[in-house]
Amino acid sequence: MSHHRIAFDQVRYAYPDGTQALDGVTFRLVHGESVGLVGANGSGKSTLLSHLNGLLLPQTGLVTVGEVPVRRETLADIRRHVGLVFQDPDDQLFMPTVLEDVAFGPLNLGMSPAEANNRALQALEAVGSASLAHRPPQHLSLGQRSAVAVAAVLALEPDVLALDEPAARLDPRARRRLIGLLKGFRHTKIVASHDLDLVLDLCDRVLILKDGRLLKDGPCRELLSDLRLLDEAGLEAPLSLGLIAPDGVRRPGPSAFC
């Protein structure tokens, strides 16, 4: 059994106010895929990611990791294999020092303090933040806290890495460092982001959500070049594709002539 595989089967989830955040979402991820998750605000991206490790559970339908259904009784197992990096790093960082924050997960997996600290230092080194180990997280910049939040998940050595807007508030240098780090993660990863250039740089496949439904699933460059599709989803093409001229006039994407 591989815990790298993810399956959503007709997953539906509505919030208490009646908002239908996911409406019959079905897709499969296989080992080693890098998948972007894109859509306008309110399309269901964060809700979908929250189903990956059981922060939210389907009201109908089924989520499976490997062959294990995501249910209350399986959450401990699921969370050993799926690492989720929240959009706001302050949702993850709560210990007195960075090292304690990053070692917290490994300790809860049963490692000795020495093993957990070693794992934490390796993860901090991977994100270029080893020098921050003994600093309080609340004294760090937003970019530094974001890097530490990624390290806290990497220290768990997950099979699947899920990230919610990982570069949303990073400066250009920190963003480039994050992209390089994520390119080196060889297991399955799913990246939810409004930064379509980041998605294009990291992912071979993209899932496009609209109003809680899966609007399109396919090759990243192909779908992110389709201006009609992106317009339907409330998105703009990645600037790196050069499909929007400096005067702001949209140019036909590849599918416009099909």
Side-chain angles (χ1 to χ4, degrees):
M1 178 178 71
S2 171
H3 281 91
H4 300 247
R5 295 195 300 270
I6 300 285
F8 275 56
D9 290 297
Q10 290 295 316
V11 172
R12 288 178 170 82
Y13 185 86
Y15 287 101
D17 66 0
T19 301
Q20 190 70 48
L22 296 178
D23 190 5
V25 173
T26 296
F27 65 88
R28 302 284 190 277
L29 305 185
V30 300
H31 179 197
E33 281 195 286
S34 294
V35 179
L37 182 64
V38 305
N41 286 336
S43 61
K45 301 187 299 297
S46 294
T47 303
L48 189 154
L49 290 187
S50 294
H51 279 73
L52 285 172
N53 75 343
L55 287 177
L56 296 175
L57 298 172
Q59 291 164 339
T60 64
L62 182 66
V63 178
T64 55
V65 177
E67 298 169 3
V68 180
V70 181
R71 295 175 178 151
R72 295 190 191 283
E73 62 268 24
T74 64
L75 292 186
D77 186 27
I78 294 296
R79 290 172 182 170
R80 290 176 182 270
H81 300 283
V82 180
L84 176 59
V85 179
F86 296 108
Q87 182 173 347
D88 186 346
D90 293 336
D91 289 338
Q92 288 182 249
L93 306 178
F94 52 87
M95 299 293 283
T97 70
V98 164
L99 183 62
E100 289 172 282
D101 254 320
V102 180
F104 181 83
L107 281 171
N108 277 275
L109 292 180
M111 292 186 182
S112 70
E115 290 173 322
N117 283 347
N118 184 57
R119 178 81 69 83
L121 287 170
Q122 289 175 347
L124 287 167
E125 184 68 36
V127 301
S129 301
S131 63
L132 306 176
H134 300 292
R135 293 181 59 182
Q138 63 269 26
H139 292 174
L140 304 181
S141 71
L142 178 59
Q144 289 172 324
R145 296 200 305 275
S146 295
V148 171
V150 173
V153 173
L154 292 179
L156 298 170
E157 296 187 348
D159 297 318
V160 178
L161 182 62
L163 303 103
D164 193 359
E165 297 289 356
R169 291 172 288 181
L170 299 184
D171 61 43
R173 178 173 293 181
R175 179 182 178 277
R176 286 195 300 272
R177 185 182 299 119
L178 175 68
I179 289 173
L181 170 68
L182 295 180
K183 282 185 173 180
F185 185 81
R186 297 304 180 189
H187 298 318
T188 306
K189 59 180 175 281
I190 181 166
V191 182
S193 184
H194 285 104
D195 184 346
L196 299 193
D197 285 286
L198 178 143
V199 171
L200 190 65
D201 209 3
L202 286 175
C203 303
D204 300 316
R205 175 184 168 195
V206 67
L207 308 177
I208 301 179
L209 294 179
K210 180 183 179 182
D211 299 329
R213 292 181 175 271
L214 184 57
L215 180 63
K216 200 75 172 179
D217 174 359
C220 193
R221 182 167 292 271
E222 176 184 326
L223 297 192
L224 297 187
S225 298
D226 186 335
L227 294 184
R228 289 181 178 173
L229 173 63
L230 294 177
D231 186 63
E232 182 182 356
L235 300 169
E236 297 287 341
L239 293 175
S240 59
L241 292 180
L243 296 176
I244 300 178
D247 59 8
V249 177
R250 289 190 173 196
R251 304 306 187 207
S255 71
F257 301 103
C258 297

